[in-house]
Amino acid sequence: MRTPWSEFWRKFRKQHVALAAGGFVLVLVVLAVLAPYVVPFDAENFFDYDTLNSPPSAKHWFGVDPLGRDIFSRLLMGSRISLTAGFVSVAFGAVIGTVLGLVAGYYEGWWDRAIMRLCDVLFAFPGILLAIAIVAILGSGMANVIIAVSIFSIPTFARLVRGNTLALKHLTYVESARSIGASDTTIVLRHIFPGTISAVVVYFSMRIGTSIITAASLSFLGMGAQPPTPEWGAMLNEARSEMMTAPHVALFPAVAIFLTVLAFNLLGDGLRDALDPKIEQR
Amino acid sequence: MLQYIVKRLLGLVPTLLIVGVLVFLLVHLLPGDPARLAAGPDANPETVQLVRKDLGLDRPLPQQFLRFVAGALTGDFGKSMRTKRQVSTEIADRFAPTFWLTVCAMAWSVVFGMGIGIVSAVWRNRWPDRLGMTLAVSGISFPAFALGMVLMQVFAVQLNWLPTVGADTWKHYILPSLTLGAAVAAIMARFTRSSFVDILQEDFIRTARAKGLSEPVVVAKHALRNALIPVLTMMGLQFGFLLGGSIVVEVVFNWPGMGRLLVDAVDMRDYPVIQALVLLFSLEFILINLIVDVLYGLINPTIRFR
């Protein structure tokens, strides 16, 4: 039987790069969950004073940082922070944004104007600036960074879902649902919301990459996770002063952020190609 | 055309007003008393009271807001809590380095981004496309601060070709603007490619080819102008990304611009400076989008007369 799921899987299966990226994300998530049990050394409290700044070796796979901490262990523990920050903030942004988008698109009029004005205002703060302003109010720390990045993601989802809702609500099947007396709630939840899911899923994956970078950037600027927390952006900031003597200290967290974000972006590209009905016609 | 610009300008007023209210409320949303913050940690209650009066914080909120707006319009944001200098002079020194940095970054990311995008679209699904798109997806995945550190390590420290920090000569601009523009170039490349792929399948392109025009002419004259319209909108949005990104890049390269000033101000909880900078960054972004809209009208006559 051809269900939407089997259709999606049939197309997604052909995207080898995206499949590999998805596999990589899966491995990362498993590693992050298991990290406390598999790390060879304590990420924050183990100091090997004999091998300060030493390059990768059999004992310390990714080398040792200037304080004598094992970089591999710190990266593994840091993956928990970055993945949580990326996922939680985008989840919040997506849920709130989707609700706002559905309301704005379905009811139009006053609701639409108010919500879109809110989005305009949020969009008026370029890039990371909004997150910095929010952290300036709430104070630094990873929890506040997640709140800031969530708010930062809301308008993107709201606009996307609103656009889809406007397009869907005049289609015949929605009209017929209305004509047999379905309530607004039923129409929105059962008939319009499912039509917006595929776009939301694609954006979700893409935004996780952006959010991981934003959260790491804030930590890099000293506004997010504070030392000795092994957050990847904070690790890079700590490594700056040792770039001359021990560039490997910066190299590994940089590669970790790059590969993680790359995997989410490639996954997002694959999802888009598999979910976009326009692609197959070409 | 003029009517269109005026209409767009008026449309900005409510957004600007709300942004202004938010920035004004920044100080009042803070946990704690702004007067105490301004007076410093060891001030006695009388001094705090004096500071409160001096800053006008004892007046009703709407009146304070009007004062803030009047100040903002005349460029008066009060004094920096950290340096005790006027915020406007503090920012004046920092504006040009940031402005030129973003302009350089935009210029080369448009050239490279569109170049890669067009090449990828014309040789779609062949090796130039694959190479270009691999570069592009890597570009959007590499965080600017990490890229900046890598570039500085390789070109300034190891090879010693370029200076590491500062903003004195044109050589100082190369690494920071490359770092800042990389992600935007990548986004532009992806966007230009998809825009071009759509255009190249249009009937008028087939007609142009059918009447015997060479492929370079078809691409440069017929496709480019039409593909430019969405790309231009994208450029306006990306300028915001650059303005925000400059904050991070300036910290990496110790750049004497507004971004680093903002990070220092957040660090020291220097609220007058934060207020002024947040307002300035958003204003700049809003104005650039207005300019893009106007250009959009120039390129695409169907928009202008609505």
Side-chain angles (χ1 to χ4, degrees):
Chain A
M1 198 177 73
R2 283 167 65 136
T3 63
W5 274 108
S6 69
E7 274 298 284
F8 161 73
W9 181 241
R10 188 177 62 77
K11 284 189 218 157
F12 187 69
R13 212 172 37 188
K14 290 185 208 143
Q15 320 256 354
H16 300 293
V17 179
L19 265 183
F24 184 77
V25 167
L26 220 65
V27 171
L28 262 181
V29 170
V30 171
L31 273 179
V33 171
L34 295 179
Y37 311 105
V38 299
V39 284
F41 300 95
D42 187 318
E44 290 178 33
N45 299 311
F46 169 82
F47 302 98
D48 189 343
Y49 294 112
D50 302 328
T51 57
L52 298 186
N53 282 340
S54 74
S57 63
K59 188 178 173 202
H60 299 289
W61 290 359
F62 289 174
V64 179
D65 78 358
L67 296 179
R69 295 171 298 192
D70 180 56
I71 296 175
F72 178 67
S73 306
R74 286 176 66 72
L75 275 187
L76 271 190
M77 293 303 282
S79 68
R80 296 165 72 88
I81 305 174
S82 285
L83 289 180
T84 312
F87 188 80
V88 173
S89 56
V90 179
F92 269 122
V95 169
I96 300 173
T98 303
V99 171
L100 290 178
L102 285 172
V103 171
Y106 188 73
Y107 291 106
E108 293 190 65
W110 190 87
W111 277 105
D112 187 30
R113 278 198 294 277
I115 290 170
M116 284 305 110
R117 179 63 67 198
L118 175 80
C119 291
D120 284 348
V121 170
L122 291 180
F123 269 128
F125 299 100
I128 199 176
L129 182 74
L130 179 66
I132 290 181
I134 295 168
V135 170
I137 297 171
L138 299 175
S140 51
M142 213 54 208
N144 293 340
V145 164
I146 292 179
I147 296 175
V149 179
S150 308
I151 298 177
F152 179 62
S153 312
I154 291 174
T156 329
F157 283 100
R159 279 203 180 164
L160 176 77
V161 172
R162 172 184 177 265
N164 276 325
T165 308
L166 282 176
L168 288 172
K169 78 174 199 187
H170 295 300
L171 293 186
T172 325
Y173 78 94
V174 176
E175 299 273 332
S176 49
R178 190 175 294 125
S179 66
I180 60 167
S183 69
D184 281 356
T185 323
T186 314
I187 294 175
V188 169
L189 291 182
R190 298 278 301 275
H191 301 294
I192 293 182
F193 174 64
T196 64
I197 287 180
S198 59
V200 170
V201 166
V202 172
Y203 258 64
F204 198 96
S205 177
M206 303 263 194
R207 285 301 294 193
I208 287 186
T210 318
S211 292
I212 289 177
I213 289 189
T214 312
S217 303
L218 287 170
S219 290
F220 176 80
L221 296 175
M223 298 175 191
Q226 303 294 325
T229 314
E231 203 277 342
W232 293 344
M235 286 172 74
L236 266 167
N237 190 22
E238 281 187 81
R240 276 172 75 199
S241 50
E242 301 289 331
M243 279 300 275
M244 302 279 201
T245 45
H248 71 274
V249 180
L251 179 71
F252 288 104
V255 171
I257 301 177
F258 170 61
L259 289 181
T260 308
V261 176
L262 182 68
F264 278 108
N265 283 333
L266 290 174
L267 181 63
D269 280 353
L271 289 174
R272 185 194 55 208
D273 292 351
L275 290 170
D276 188 351
K278 247 169 58 188
I279 303 275
E280 207 172 23
Q281 295 162 10
R282 290 201 194 130
Chain B
M1 194 67 217
L2 190 71
Q3 208 182 355
Y4 174 74
I5 298 175
V6 171
K7 210 170 121 189
R8 291 281 313 149
L9 264 176
L10 288 178
L12 288 179
V13 172
T15 310
L16 270 177
L17 206 66
I18 301 175
V19 169
V21 172
L22 285 181
V23 171
F24 165 74
L25 285 177
L26 187 78
V27 169
H28 297 271
L29 285 172
L30 297 169
D33 178 1
R36 169 150 285 285
L37 252 168
D42 343 292
N44 53 25
E46 288 82 50
T47 323
V48 174
Q49 205 51 44
L50 267 174
V51 169
R52 191 188 314 279
K53 214 167 157 46
D54 192 38
L55 293 174
L57 290 167
D58 54 342
R59 299 170 199 215
L61 219 55
Q63 209 180 337
Q64 285 188 42
F65 179 66
L66 286 181
R67 255 174 63 121
F68 172 74
V69 171
L73 288 176
T74 53
D76 177 14
F77 288 95
K79 282 186 180 138
S80 158
M81 290 180 182
R82 191 163 49 109
T83 59
K84 307 289 173 212
R85 287 167 65 199
Q86 283 290 326
V87 174
S88 44
T89 40
E90 198 81 34
I91 291 177
D93 308 339
R94 307 292 199 109
F95 183 80
T98 298
F99 180 76
W100 288 117
L101 179 62
T102 37
V103 168
C104 286
M106 194 79 218
W108 84 257
S109 57
V110 165
V111 172
F112 279 82
M114 283 184 55
I116 292 174
I118 293 172
V119 167
S120 289
V122 172
W123 283 277
R124 186 149 74 104
N125 291 338
R126 275 180 285 161
W127 71 264
D129 182 24
R130 298 207 193 286
L131 178 70
M133 287 305 108
T134 307
L135 264 177
V137 77
S138 306
I140 54 171
S141 306
F142 213 93
F145 54 90
L147 180 64
M149 286 170 72
V150 171
L151 289 180
M152 188 155 49
Q153 181 68 19
V154 173
F155 292 101
V157 179
Q158 307 277 348
L159 297 171
N160 211 0
W161 288 351
L162 295 163
T164 47
V165 294
D168 304 324
T169 64
W170 62 270
K171 280 185 175 171
H172 285 93
Y173 276 84
I174 297 177
L175 291 182
S177 68
L178 280 175
T179 308
L180 182 56
V184 174
I187 295 170
M188 296 290 286
R190 281 161 66 103
F191 198 75
T192 309
R193 177 184 181 273
S194 73
S195 173
F196 242 83
V197 164
D198 287 345
I199 294 282
L200 286 178
Q201 286 167 345
E202 294 280 343
D203 289 343
F204 67 84
I205 295 292
R206 195 163 20 136
T207 311
R209 282 183 184 140
K211 70 179 186 187
L213 293 180
S214 69
E215 196 61 23
V217 176
V218 172
V219 171
K221 279 190 77 178
H222 295 250
L224 188 64
R225 188 172 163 124
N226 287 285
L228 262 182
I229 296 169
V231 170
L232 195 66
T233 319
M234 200 61 186
M235 238 176 89
L237 287 174
Q238 290 310 315
F239 226 104
F241 189 91
L242 284 181
L243 286 172
S246 68
I247 299 169
V248 178
V249 173
E250 285 182 10
V251 170
V252 175
F253 288 93
N254 213 2
W255 194 258
M258 302 198 300
R260 223 186 74 213
L261 184 64
L262 178 66
V263 173
D264 291 344
V266 171
D267 229 24
M268 309 297 277
R269 311 202 132 227
D270 191 349
Y271 289 103
V273 176
I274 299 178
Q275 273 184 324
L277 283 174
V278 171
L279 200 63
L280 203 65
F281 269 117
S282 342
L283 185 70
E284 202 176 332
F285 183 38
I286 291 173
L287 285 180
I288 285 164
N289 272 310
L290 176 74
I291 295 171
V292 168
D293 271 358
V294 172
L295 287 178
Y296 199 96
L298 280 177
I299 299 185
N300 186 357
T302 54
I303 303 278
R304 212 181 305 160
F305 302 111
R306 265 200 220 143

